[in-house]
Amino acid sequence: MRETIIETPVTYYTPDELSAADRELVGRAVEATRNAYAPYSHFHVGAAIRLEGGEIVSGANQENAAFPSGTCAERTACYYAHAAHPDKRFEAIAIAARDADGNLTRTVTAPCGACRQALLEYETLAGRPVKVLLVADGEIALLPSVKSLLPLAFTEF
Ligand code: THU
């Protein structure tokens, strides 16, 4: 018998405790929530990815009447980022959401399982950890990598 314990470090910051670059990334994720198309869930999610060199690319959830055809903010952002900038590696991603009343969520919004798997592939391509910033109203949770959000991931690629 053998046991291992998987730990995920999560550090919580107020916005002013973040570096200027991370604060900007968080701001872009919050801004991107405005571009959500969410007439069914009324849950507006924004994701912003910082690429090597500092450029930020963002995305928002896009829903569809044929529900499974919709896409989360994180996958909108990462597929767009790599489609537009195939040579640039990801450095960090921030994710924010607003509820049906337009308020930033009081607790952090973490990516769904499918988005974790999609993001992990770009972290693997980057060859180094992609920082994850999960935004709540007044607080940001920082995780050191996508892998830390998806332990025991499928990585046979
Ligand atoms: N959604 C995201 O965009 N990202 C997440 O991390 C979780 C969920 C979207 C999918 C759907 O449009 C809405 O939020 C409600 O689930």
Side-chain angles (χ1 to χ4, degrees), residues 37-38 41 43 45 60-63 71-74 95 109-112 115:
Y37 174 65
S41 73
F43 192 64
V45 188
N61 54 327
Q62 303 296 314
E63 297 183 351
T71 312
C72 293
E74 296 88 331
I95 299 153
T109 300
C112 76
C115 288

Side-chain angles (χ1 to χ4, degrees), residues 24 49-56 88 91:
E24 186 189 357
I49 294 171
R50 187 170 66 239
L51 302 170
E52 62 182 339
E55 186 170 346
I56 294 174
K88 295 247 174 88
E91 276 186 6

